[in-house]
């Protein structure tokens, strides 16, 4: 597994291929928390958890189940913040200590162009003016916005659409207008495109009041359109 550090080594990101045997690494409680998920989804989720357990081991934590809340947010040990992600063949996890990092999100996509006709869905009008067509056709904005969603949702429990998140790649920042929050960004590009969004403790305001409806992630909206 490849491990990358970010923000002066405060954040660890683990990236690993998804393997056929990964489903067998799930704890019984993790399998139960996934409900009726098909084998492919269980295998991908397991791979992300293998990466996360490896990173937690770097911090001195013994192997443990990584369960999730009813809204799908992973549950981390006390003093840790983290995020999980995967596409069809590669999984990723990001973790950090809460003394240094208050909110953290990660997303991963293959380093391939976006499917056609998604630019207007993903990029705001301002972003469409800000970036050239080559950038808009890449998955960079997509993964960064998903990472921002994953960092923001545990604090505010709010629906977010792509148009709610404004990405400034040059300033390495992402702003959520609906929650009035700004996150620092890192973009890692190789065979995969990995987006990481985070904020430090002194940069996080009070959480907004939870919405009453069950949350629906950008992730959920987009995965039906982006393979």
């Amino acid at each position: 597994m490849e491990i990358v550090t970010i923000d002066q080594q405060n954040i660890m990101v683990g990236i690993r291929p998804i393997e056929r045997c990964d489903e067998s690494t799930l704890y019984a409680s993790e399998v139960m928390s996934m409900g009726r998920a098909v084998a492919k989804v269980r295998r991908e989720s397991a791979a992300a958890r293998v990466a996360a357990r490896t990173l937690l081991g770097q911090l001195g934590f013994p192997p443990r189940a990584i369960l999730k809340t009813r809204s799908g947010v992973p549950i981390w040990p006390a003093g840790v913040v983290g995020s999980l992600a995967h596409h069809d063949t590669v999984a990723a996890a990001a973790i950090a200590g809460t003394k240094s990092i208050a909110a953290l999100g990660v997303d991963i996509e293959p380093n391939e162009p976006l499917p056609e006709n998604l630019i207007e869905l993903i990029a705001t009008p301002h972003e469409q003016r800000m970036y050239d067509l080559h950038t808009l056709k890449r998955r960079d904005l997509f993964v960064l916005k998903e990472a921002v969603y994953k960092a923001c949702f545990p604090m505010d429990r709010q629906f977010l659409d792509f148009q709610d998140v404004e990405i400034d790649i040059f300033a390495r920042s992402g702003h959520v207008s609906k929650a009035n929050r700004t996150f620092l960004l890192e973009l890692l590009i190789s065979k995969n495109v990995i987006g990481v969004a985070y904020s430090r403790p002194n940069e996080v305001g009070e959480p907004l009041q939870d919405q009453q409806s069950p949350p629906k992630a950008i992730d959920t909206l987009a995965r039906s359109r982006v393979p």
Side-chain angles (χ1 to χ4, degrees), residues 52-104:
R53 279 191 270 273
T54 301
L55 296 179
L56 288 170
Q58 297 281 312
L59 297 181
F61 289 94
R64 57 178 291 154
I66 301 172
L67 304 179
K68 58 184 180 179
T69 66
R70 292 180 61 186
S71 55
V73 176
I75 300 171
W76 301 99
V80 172
V81 64
S83 182
L84 304 175
H86 61 78
H87 58 70
D88 286 345
T89 61
V90 181
I95 67 166
T98 54
K99 289 183 179 179
S100 302
I101 302 296
L104 180 60

Side-chain angles (χ1 to χ4, degrees), residues 27 31 36-37 41 111 115 128 152 157 160 181 202 209 224:
Y27 285 66
V31 174
R36 298 182 179 180
V41 172
N111 190 356
Q128 291 178 50
C152 192
R157 300 295 200 274
L160 291 180
R181 295 189 186 279
N202 60 350
Q209 187 173 1
S224 62

Side-chain angles (χ1 to χ4, degrees), residues 201-223:
N202 60 350
E203 297 166 340
V204 175
E206 289 298 318
L208 301 179
Q209 187 173 1
D210 285 5
Q211 292 188 177
Q212 296 302 310
S213 303
K216 188 172 187 179
I218 284 179
D219 190 269
T220 305
L221 295 172
R223 293 294 178 192

Side-chain angles (χ1 to χ4, degrees), residues 42-192:
R42 291 197 301 270
R43 185 165 55 247
E44 293 166 346
S45 298
R49 283 166 168 77
V50 170
R53 279 191 270 273
T54 301
L55 296 179
L56 288 170
Q58 297 281 312
L59 297 181
F61 289 94
R64 57 178 291 154
I66 301 172
L67 304 179
K68 58 184 180 179
T69 66
R70 292 180 61 186
S71 55
V73 176
I75 300 171
W76 301 99
V80 172
V81 64
S83 182
L84 304 175
H86 61 78
H87 58 70
D88 286 345
T89 61
V90 181
I95 67 166
T98 54
K99 289 183 179 179
S100 302
I101 302 296
L104 180 60
V106 68
D107 195 58
I108 185 169
E109 284 287 319
N111 190 356
E112 300 169 357
L114 280 172
E116 298 203 6
N117 305 319
L118 285 186
I119 289 175
E120 291 189 358
L121 171 71
I122 293 168
T124 65
H126 177 67
E127 289 167 340
Q128 291 178 50
R129 295 190 299 270
M130 187 176 188
Y131 302 115
D132 59 27
L133 188 58
H134 173 75
T135 300
L136 292 171
K137 285 184 175 181
R138 290 182 51 79
R139 301 198 182 204
D140 301 6
L141 290 178
F142 179 85
V143 297
L144 289 170
K145 291 193 179 198
E146 291 234 355
V148 167
Y149 176 85
K150 292 179 181 180
C152 192
F153 179 73
M155 294 187 290
D156 297 331
R157 300 295 200 274
Q158 282 205 321
F159 291 99
L160 291 180
D161 201 350
F162 289 107
Q163 301 299 310
D164 295 319
V165 183
E166 193 88 40
I167 299 296
D168 188 333
I169 293 175
F170 309 113
R172 298 196 303 177
S173 69
H175 182 70
V176 181
S177 54
K178 185 180 284 190
N180 192 27
R181 295 189 186 279
T182 299
F183 296 88
L184 301 169
L185 302 177
E186 292 287 345
L187 187 63
L188 310 174
I189 300 175
S190 57
K191 293 181 180 179
N192 302 288

Side-chain angles (χ1 to χ4, degrees), residues 3-58:
I3 298 178
V4 179
T5 58
I6 293 171
D7 191 50
Q8 299 179 351
Q9 302 187 342
N10 287 320
I11 299 169
M12 290 191 294
V13 180
I15 307 110
R16 70 183 298 277
I18 296 170
E19 300 175 359
R20 294 184 63 86
C21 61
D22 280 338
E23 186 180 350
S24 66
T25 67
L26 288 169
Y27 285 66
S29 54
E30 292 174 330
V31 174
M32 290 182 60
S33 74
M34 292 178 190
R36 298 182 179 180
V38 299
K40 177 179 181 294
V41 172
R42 291 197 301 270
R43 185 165 55 247
E44 293 166 346
S45 298
R49 283 166 168 77
V50 170
R53 279 191 270 273
T54 301
L55 296 179
L56 288 170
Q58 297 281 312

